[in-house]
Amino acid sequence: MPALPSFVPYLIHTLFPPWVRRPTEIGAEIMMTAAGAFIVYWLLKNKKLQWLWNEWLTTVDHKKIGIMYLVAAIIMLGRGGLDALMLRTNLAMPTLHFINASEYNEVFTTHGTIMVFFMAMPLIFALFNVVVPLQIGSRDVAFPRLNAISFWLFAFAAALFNLSFVVGGSPNAGWTAYPPLTELAFNHTVGENYYFVSLLMTGIGTTITGINFLVTILRMRAPGMTFMKMPLFTWATLNTSVLILFAFPPLTIALLESLLDRVAGTTFFGLAHGGMPMMYVNLFWLFGHPEVYILVLPAFGVFSEVVSTFSRKKLFGYPSMVLSMTAIMVLAYGTWVHHFFTMGAGPAVNVFFGLSTMLIAIPTGVKVFNWILTMWGGRLTFTTPMLYFLAMIPTFVIGGATGVMLGAVPADYQFHNSYFLVAHFHEVLIGGTVFGLLAGVYYWWPKMFGYKLNDHQGKWSFWLFAGGFWPTFIPQYWLGLEGMTRRMYTYPFGMGWHTLNVISTIGGLIMGAGFLVMVSNVLRSRLHREVDATGDPWDGRTLEWSIPSPAPEYNFAVIPTVDERDWWWEEKQRRQSGEKPAGPRPEDIRAIAIPKNTPVPILLGAAFFVGAFGLVFTWWPIALMGLAGVFGVLIYSWFQYDHYRILSAGEIRETEELLGRLGA
Amino acid sequence: MHGGDEQHETAIEPGFDFISPRFEEPKFPMHQVWGYAASLVLTFAALWMTVNRIMSPSVLLGVVLAMAVGQAALQLGVFMHVRESRGPAWHLVPLGLAFAIGIGLVGMSAWIMLFKSGVS
């Protein structure tokens, strides 16, 4: 047998070290390869490659980009949830070694990172993309091509991060990646490189998205839509974009310097040569606290739309809603130290940030009361999104109150890094963000696809998910008070933690069942879809419901002039009373320039992926190839002059006529 | 094509002169050439001073920081067309806010990291 060339064993050893050759990893490898092979086979068999390329991979249409974000986020929710169930299974019984300590480290790291960066963020961007341009009466976002670049950077970063599980090894220093746990001397696998590189990549995309939606909302609103006539979800997007703009630079610096510590021999955060590990913590939370509000403000926006629509009432206290949201946005920058009170920065610093933390509960309380008062005297319909809203109120109030408890500095020394904290942030992140985003997905699903998700199954999924939530996380408060700390992979008998952990694990399994019902609902609703021809299945109030579902590629045949806060609600009254024609008049329709598809975003993402992969393994030639690829794609894009195609007025009239939208 | 009808539609209140519309005529970008050269000088001077340790670390830190702020101002003024606008230059207001937030964050970080316990 001829000897193998020497690089083959080296490659095998580097790419597939022993810690990715355990049964879980090999199982995942087989599943991923099989799924990939099946998708390629299906595409080839049905001759769908051209369709995929033209309709999806090269699109710059914000509605399609939103749908791609949504699909990616649901897949990532599945993986993050599977991680969570592995963690909960390991903790169900004392000394149960379902997975070992190092695997446990990897799983809680990927669980946290995926849920924050690759599930919640893309789900938020899915809603931004699908909703905001329609809600402000715009034909697209300000920079459609940059929007696609954002998506592909995220998508390739997510792929890279997930690849770590089967190639080279997963990151294992927690989603916060504190030094010295991440320093090369203590952590020699490539896992943390994957973490830093993929987060840097998706961070570029996120920053671009923030800029894009900031400009879109500031510059592209329909005539007459003043700031105080903007729907609340648009306000939430505006505030979130500002938060993104200022929160991501510190993260970028922290990640980049940590990466340099690992691949270039610097010691920004190592203890040797005067590095400052706590500076990483400071920079991380300088990002991390605004990030919390980046995650929750869009959910607040969704709830404001949902509660108003399903109470058939104007939102109560609109100006105070806007003011409180903006106050949260500003205050969010002033509370980050409460994540590391125990660093010991001294009483003055800690008290300042303890007070600012408690202060932020005030505008949040204003919002909760306004939502409740919106329901007061309204005619409520209990659809799935409305149920998520109702479930949010108690969870978020308790989660918020325990947050204030954590903000009390002396008490925090006790709560810090205990299960009390774990219970608190899951309660606000699931009870606030995930409930909100799921409500948004159910609410705007008909706008994206032209049919509703089945409400009956949606309610099953809701009761399992929101019902499983309470037994999962409420016992964790007690576990924390009884001394169980975060990130411990097992515990001995006799600690008194057994019963509460069993309850928590059972709750987690119920939530998992809720997720499965949701996925089956998505599939079954697609198979048995009842097409909604009205474009307004919920009797909505804002601009997006005034156009057909799914919206035609130009969105609005004629851009409406907005004169009221709930413009579409008022317009419907006017149309019913015959004051206004029931649709755009044919003579008002003009030709529209539509941005053309371009392969630049996906190629740029792929080039970044190659470069990032090289960086992870510090294979510099491959990293340089990726960099050359990035420049190559950019140079190619400079010589693309013809960005638009013209949709003639005749074509638009025909489309509108087919949709039955033309007014007399 | 710039200027013209946009200019007289907005009368700027006295005291807000800094946002009044202005637009530079395109000509050979001598400004930018000088700005680029000055940026390079500032960058390499900082690097040279640090590598050769020509003064004590704390003084050096101050000098490099001052040069960094200078360069940021230079780049904003020269390359980012910061005062140019066809309408009122409203972007100057959020820009000021951004500076306030930035300086606040840096200042507070310095305050936080001044602690003298044995953690770091």
Side-chain angles (χ1 to χ4, degrees):
Chain A
M1 188 177 142
L4 289 165
S6 64
F7 68 87
V8 173
Y10 165 76
L11 270 185
I12 290 176
H13 180 74
T14 314
L15 294 176
F16 304 105
W19 49 88
V20 301
R21 281 187 249 144
R22 293 173 302 213
T24 26
E25 276 82 355
I26 292 183
E29 255 164 70
I30 293 171
M31 263 169 53
M32 281 160 84
T33 316
F38 175 76
I39 291 170
V40 172
Y41 166 76
W42 186 83
L43 289 171
L44 286 174
K45 184 173 159 256
N46 294 300
K47 299 197 169 51
K48 290 279 194 182
L49 272 180
Q50 192 68 34
W51 163 83
L52 187 70
W53 180 258
N54 288 340
E55 292 290 315
W56 295 97
L57 302 187
T58 59
T59 186
V60 292
D61 183 341
H62 66 97
K63 300 175 286 291
K64 286 181 175 171
I65 290 173
I67 290 170
M68 291 195 287
Y69 269 122
L70 177 70
V71 171
I74 291 177
I75 294 171
M76 288 294 104
L77 181 60
R79 155 122 207 234
L82 212 57
D83 283 347
L85 290 181
M86 286 165 79
L87 303 177
R88 278 316 322 164
T89 308
N90 216 38
L91 293 174
M93 302 276 177
T95 68
L96 181 68
H97 296 273
F98 171 67
I99 50 178
N100 66 33
S102 62
E103 276 179 293
Y104 192 88
N105 289 347
E106 292 170 8
V107 174
F108 73 65
T109 303
T110 51
H111 166 70
T113 311
I114 284 178
M115 285 303 199
V116 171
F117 291 100
F118 300 119
M119 186 281 287
M121 296 296 284
L123 202 48
I124 287 168
F125 295 155
L127 294 184
F128 282 9
N129 270 289
V130 168
V131 179
V132 170
L134 303 183
Q135 211 168 42
I136 63 173
S138 161
R139 295 231 158 89
D140 209 320
V141 294
F143 310 111
R145 185 187 282 208
L146 274 180
N147 196 24
I149 290 174
S150 291
F151 171 75
W152 286 109
L153 283 176
F154 149 73
F156 278 104
L160 185 73
F161 188 84
N162 281 282
L163 195 65
S164 71
F165 189 56
V166 290
V167 178
S170 297
N172 54 6
W175 86 277
T176 50
Y178 283 178
L181 299 175
T182 55
E183 291 287 315
L184 198 56
F186 311 107
N187 197 338
H188 60 276
T189 71
V190 293
E192 284 305 316
N193 292 358
Y194 270 114
Y195 172 93
F196 292 125
V197 171
S198 59
L199 256 54
L200 279 168
M201 231 170 111
T202 193
I204 301 172
T206 304
T207 310
I208 297 175
T209 303
I211 295 170
N212 213 340
F213 280 90
L214 195 59
V215 178
T216 305
I217 294 173
L218 289 181
R219 304 289 299 175
M220 296 175 70
R221 300 190 307 278
M225 185 182 276
T226 55
F227 277 115
M228 292 310 271
K229 289 197 182 81
M230 278 182 353
L232 249 285
F233 186 75
T234 303
W235 262 111
T237 307
L238 184 69
N239 280 318
T240 309
S241 302
V242 176
L243 281 172
I244 287 173
L245 205 57
F246 290 111
F248 270 74
L251 177 73
T252 307
I253 295 299
L255 297 174
L256 191 67
E257 290 182 346
S258 293
L259 184 69
L260 289 175
D261 277 6
R262 290 182 59 86
V263 303
T266 57
T267 48
F268 285 106
F269 303 126
L271 275 172
H273 311 298
M276 289 172 89
M278 287 316 290
M279 190 46 133
Y280 175 89
V281 179
N282 183 60
L283 285 172
F284 184 88
W285 289 110
L286 202 48
F287 146 81
H289 201 79
E291 168 72 10
V292 174
Y293 289 95
I294 292 171
L295 295 177
V296 88
L297 284 186
F300 286 175
V302 174
F303 288 136
S304 304
E305 304 289 341
V306 164
V307 71
S308 168
T309 301
F310 295 113
S311 304
R312 299 174 63 80
K313 257 185 78 191
K314 263 187 194 159
L315 192 72
F316 183 86
Y318 176 94
S320 66
M321 283 305 233
V322 171
L323 193 69
S324 59
M325 199 185 280
T326 314
I328 290 173
M329 186 264 280
V330 175
L331 287 172
Y333 285 115
T335 64
W336 75 94
V337 176
H338 69 214
H339 296 271
F340 50 102
F341 279 149
T342 53
M343 175 175 84
V349 171
N350 281 359
V351 165
F352 177 91
F353 284 94
L355 285 176
S356 66
T357 303
M358 294 177 191
L359 207 59
I360 215 163
I362 297 172
T364 317
V366 169
K367 300 192 84 66
V368 171
F369 283 116
N370 278 344
W371 288 322
I372 293 172
L373 287 168
T374 303
M375 290 189 290
W376 189 271
R379 269 184 290 153
L380 307 193
T381 33
F382 296 99
T383 55
T384 314
M386 188 64 174
L387 289 180
Y388 275 110
F389 162 75
L390 291 169
M392 178 277 295
I393 297 273
T395 48
F396 202 76
V397 166
I398 294 177
T402 53
V404 175
M405 288 167 74
L406 282 156
V409 181
D412 182 74
Y413 271 69
Q414 184 63 35
F415 301 140
H416 184 82
N417 262 7
S418 73
Y419 258 81
F420 189 88
L421 168 81
V422 175
H424 157 71
F425 72 70
H426 280 94
E427 186 141 27
V428 281
L429 281 177
I430 296 179
T433 305
V434 177
F435 283 7
L437 297 178
L438 290 180
V441 169
Y442 276 97
Y443 181 59
W444 280 300
W445 192 275
K447 193 42 66 187
M448 289 185 246
F449 297 102
Y451 58 89
K452 281 194 214 176
L453 286 175
N454 183 302
D455 208 44
H456 182 69
Q457 291 165 39
K459 280 174 184 163
W460 265 99
S461 155
F462 163 79
W463 284 110
L464 288 168
F465 195 75
F469 171 84
W470 287 83
T472 313
F473 293 106
I474 297 300
Q476 294 183 2
Y477 285 118
W478 274 270
L479 283 171
L481 295 177
E482 285 176 17
M484 185 164 163
T485 53
R486 184 185 191 184
R487 293 171 177 166
M488 59 194 326
Y489 84 106
T490 191
Y491 52 94
F493 283 95
M495 301 295 289
W497 299 342
H498 185 179
T499 317
L500 291 172
N501 269 310
V502 172
I503 298 172
S504 182
T505 302
I506 292 171
L509 289 169
I510 298 174
M511 289 180 80
F515 172 75
L516 290 181
V517 173
M518 191 185 85
V519 171
S520 97
N521 187 10
V522 167
L523 299 176
R524 286 172 62 181
S525 300
R526 174 151 193 92
L527 287 177
H528 309 286
R529 56 182 178 270
E530 293 162 28
V531 176
D532 159 54
T534 63
D536 185 18
W538 309 115
D539 201 1
R541 313 178 70 83
T542 39
L543 266 71
E544 74 270 30
W545 304 110
S546 69
I547 53 175
S549 309
E553 59 178 339
Y554 49 82
N555 296 352
F556 293 85
V558 175
I559 296 199
T561 303
V562 177
D563 50 0
E564 300 278 346
R565 201 167 279 159
D566 288 347
W567 173 79
W568 176 234
W569 184 262
E570 306 289 338
E571 180 77 4
K572 276 189 280 193
Q573 321 286 323
R574 283 189 291 238
R575 286 186 185 182
Q576 260 168 17
S577 66
E579 255 178 79
K580 281 270 199 83
R585 288 180 308 178
E587 62 268 29
D588 288 341
I589 293 175
R590 301 270 179 279
I592 296 170
I594 302 273
K596 273 186 183 170
N597 284 7
T598 164
V600 166
I602 187 172
L603 293 179
L604 203 61
F608 261 96
F609 182 86
V610 171
F613 190 78
L615 210 52
V616 166
F617 288 93
T618 52
W619 291 339
W620 299 111
I622 293 185
L624 287 176
M625 264 167 55
L627 190 67
V630 170
F631 277 103
V633 175
L634 286 179
I635 289 167
Y636 165 76
S637 78
W638 293 345
F639 295 99
Q640 301 257 299
Y641 294 109
D642 200 14
H643 296 310
Y644 290 95
R645 68 194 159 80
I646 303 296
L647 212 57
S648 74
E651 285 172 274
I652 297 166
R653 259 180 233 130
E654 245 169 61
T655 315
E656 292 287 305
E657 183 130 43
L658 270 175
L659 294 163
R661 310 294 290 197
L662 279 189
Chain B
M1 65 173 283
H2 26 75
D5 42 25
E6 286 97 340
Q7 269 188 3
H8 52 76
E9 80 185 24
T10 42
I12 304 294
E13 300 269 327
F16 281 94
D17 292 343
F18 65 100
I19 61 165
S20 55
R22 72 189 71 217
F23 208 86
E24 281 175 16
E25 290 297 320
K27 53 180 185 244
F28 186 75
M30 215 49 217
H31 247 78
Q32 280 76 357
V33 172
W34 283 116
Y36 181 58
S39 298
L40 288 181
V41 168
L42 283 168
T43 304
F44 284 104
L47 184 68
W48 178 80
M49 289 197 305
T50 317
V51 168
N52 291 303
R53 300 179 188 181
I54 60 159
M55 42 188 121
S56 73
S58 52
V59 181
L60 188 62
L61 202 64
V63 173
V64 171
L65 203 63
M67 287 164 82
V69 171
Q71 187 171 166
L74 186 80
Q75 300 217 351
L76 270 176
V78 174
F79 298 112
M80 309 301 281
H81 306 272
V82 76
R83 294 191 63 198
E84 284 177 40
S85 175
R86 285 175 187 149
W90 282 114
H91 54 270
L92 289 179
V93 179
L95 193 69
L97 187 70
F99 270 108
I101 293 177
I103 291 166
L105 293 184
V106 171
M108 286 214 279
S109 289
W111 179 42
I112 293 157
M113 297 304 293
L114 279 175
F115 71 103
K116 289 284 183 275
S117 72
V119 185
S120 179

